[in-house]
Amino acid sequence: MEAATVVPGRPELSAVTGRPDPVPAPGELLVRGLLVGCCRIDRDVVEQGRGVLPPGQDRMVLFHESVGQVVHAPAISGFHSGDHVVGVVRRPDPLPCEACAAGQWDFCLNGRYTECGIRGLDGFGAQLWTVEPRFAIRVGVALGDLGVLTEPASVVAKAWEQVDMIGRRAYFAPHRALVTRAGSIGLLAALLGVQRGLEVHVLDEVVEGRRPDLVRALGATYHTSLDDLRCEPDIVIETTGSGALVFEVLQHTARNAITVLTGLAGHRRTLPFPVGQVIDNELLLDNDVIVSSVNANLRHYDQAVRALSAADRGWLESLISRRVPLRNWTEALATGPGEVKVVVDLED
C-alpha cells in the first residue's frame, strides 16, 4: 500500500511511501482509506514540527481527518464489511488519568494522550489502516465519503455543547450567534447554529465566492466587517485564533454572552491588551464568559454524525473545494483564498 508520510518539521522529506499492508491485531478493524481532510494542524506538523513521531519510527503517516470503508471486521466488533467509518483522533493516555479513565481524553490531565497523525501515532493518510472498534465511528451510507467532515464537525459539536453547559448557569435564551471565519470549522459551526434555530451571522474577509455563497445557502448572514453586524450576538464561535479579533468581538456581544475559542493562534505575537476594559466592561459587568474548546470525545463524534446526516448533502459536498490525488498529496497543504476544505483522495 501507499501512504502520505512526513518527518515533522522537515517538509522537504514529505513523500508518498510504500509500506507493507497493515495486519489488524485481534479485535481490530481493517479499513480501506477513502479520503482524508487537510487542515492547519497538518501544515503545522509538516512545516513547523508540531508533530511527534510514533516510538521507533523515523517517519509518520499524516492526516487526522478520515473516512474509510471496512474491509475486515471481527464478528464481535459490531461493524461489518462495507461500513463507512471515521477514526477517532485522540486516544487516552496509558496510565490513564482520571479524565481519560472517564472517557474524556479531550480533557486529559497529564498530557500523555496520543493523536493519530499528530502525536505519537500514525495518521489515516494511507490506503489501508487499522483501528480498534471503540475508536471507530460509523457513518451512514447516505453520508458516505462525506464522513470525512466528521472530525471537524465533532470539534464544533463540542464547542456548542460547552455553550449549552455554561448557559445552564443562569437564565439563557440565545437568539443570535456569530461565527468568525467561514472556513470548514466555521461553516460547520454555522450549520449547527442554524440547526438549533438561531439567527446565525458569519464574519470573514473574503468578499465573494464559495464562502459567502455557502453561508447564504444556510440561511445565515455573511459579513466582511464587524461594523456591518448591527446586532449583539449571544454566542460567538471563534475559529480564527486572532487575539485582536477576539478583543474586538467582545465589544459587540450581548449581556450574558458566551464566546468559545476554537482557533489556534499559530504565533507568539504580543498584542496590546486593555485588560481593565475587557475584564470590567466586557466580562464582569456583562456576566460574559470566554471558554476554550479543543478536540472531542466519542459523544461529540456521534453528535457530529447526526448533524451531518441531517444536513443537505449538496451543501456538504460544496464544502469540499478541491480533491487532490494521493500521489500529489503535498499540494493539499497549500490552500488558496476562499477555499474551504481540501481533501486527499486515497484511491486515486
Side-chain angles (χ1 to χ4, degrees):
M1 70 159 191
E2 293 185 326
T5 64
V6 300
V7 178
R10 299 288 303 278
E12 73 278 7
L13 298 180
S14 300
V16 176
T17 304
R19 288 191 159 201
D21 289 354
V23 178
E28 284 189 331
L29 308 178
L30 179 63
V31 180
R32 176 171 57 90
L34 299 176
L35 297 175
V36 286
C38 183
C39 80
R40 178 175 180 168
I41 293 174
D42 301 309
R43 291 192 292 274
D44 285 351
V45 170
V46 175
E47 299 168 3
Q48 307 299 325
R50 179 177 172 179
V52 177
L53 290 171
Q57 294 186 194
D58 59 2
R59 301 184 69 81
M60 176 171 68
V61 178
L62 190 63
F63 295 116
H64 60 280
E65 299 177 6
S66 67
V67 67
Q69 197 163 21
V70 175
V71 175
H72 166 75
I76 61 172
S77 69
F79 291 87
H80 302 89
S81 178
D83 284 348
H84 285 81
V85 295
V86 169
V88 173
V89 177
R90 184 174 289 192
R91 310 295 170 83
D93 67 79
L95 290 179
C97 72
E98 294 92 333
C100 287
Q104 296 184 11
W105 47 80
D106 49 330
F107 285 97
C108 181
L109 294 169
N110 59 26
R112 295 195 181 104
Y113 60 84
T114 53
E115 292 177 316
C116 296
I118 303 172
R119 178 172 172 166
L121 292 174
D122 279 326
F124 302 107
Q127 292 174 322
L128 289 169
W129 42 271
T130 60
V131 63
E132 295 177 59
R134 66 180 178 137
F135 296 125
I137 304 296
R138 182 187 284 106
V139 298
V141 175
L143 195 57
D145 64 3
L146 290 176
V148 73
L149 300 170
T150 300
E151 193 278 336
S154 74
V155 172
V156 295
K158 178 182 174 181
W160 278 106
E161 183 184 81
Q162 295 293 302
V163 169
D164 292 337
M165 295 172 73
I166 295 167
R168 288 195 289 271
R169 66 187 172 138
Y171 175 79
F172 187 60
H175 299 287
R176 301 181 185 89
L178 171 66
V179 178
T180 58
R181 193 171 182 271
S184 57
I185 291 287
L187 285 165
L188 290 168
L191 168 68
L192 269 65
V194 169
Q195 288 179 340
R196 287 164 170 253
L198 295 171
E199 175 187 314
V200 176
H201 299 260
V202 179
L203 176 69
D204 197 295
E205 60 187 4
V206 176
V207 175
E208 57 184 17
R210 186 183 296 262
R211 290 186 180 186
D213 288 348
L214 283 164
V215 170
R216 291 167 186 140
L218 276 179
T221 305
Y222 189 83
H223 304 271
T224 55
S225 169
L226 279 173
D227 294 334
D228 299 332
L229 192 57
R230 299 193 179 126
C231 68
E232 295 183 331
D234 307 293
I235 299 164
V236 178
I237 308 294
E238 207 296 307
T239 76
T240 70
S242 168
L245 181 59
V246 171
F247 168 64
E248 189 177 358
V249 165
L250 289 175
Q251 298 178 76
H252 288 77
T253 56
R255 290 181 178 272
N256 306 326
I258 300 171
T259 297
V260 187
L261 308 180
T262 67
L264 295 171
H267 55 68
R268 300 181 185 275
R269 180 183 174 193
T270 300
L271 295 170
F273 199 71
V275 175
Q277 178 183 346
V278 174
I279 293 178
D280 292 348
N281 297 343
E282 308 301 337
L283 296 180
L284 195 154
L285 294 179
D286 276 1
N287 279 314
D288 286 359
V289 174
I290 302 175
V291 63
S292 59
S293 182
V294 67
N295 204 263
N297 63 45
L298 290 176
R299 71 175 180 274
H300 305 125
Y301 279 84
D302 289 336
Q303 292 166 12
V305 170
R306 289 197 294 272
L308 294 174
S309 298
D312 179 77
R313 182 178 175 86
W315 187 86
L316 293 177
E317 288 175 340
S318 295
L319 290 181
I320 298 178
S321 45
R322 186 158 48 99
R323 292 179 180 241
V324 177
L326 175 60
R327 63 183 179 275
N328 298 330
W329 73 263
T330 55
E331 295 177 4
L333 300 175
T335 55
E339 282 198 305
V340 178
K341 173 56 64 180
V342 179
V343 300
V344 176
D345 190 336
L346 300 172
E347 295 189 298
D348 189 348

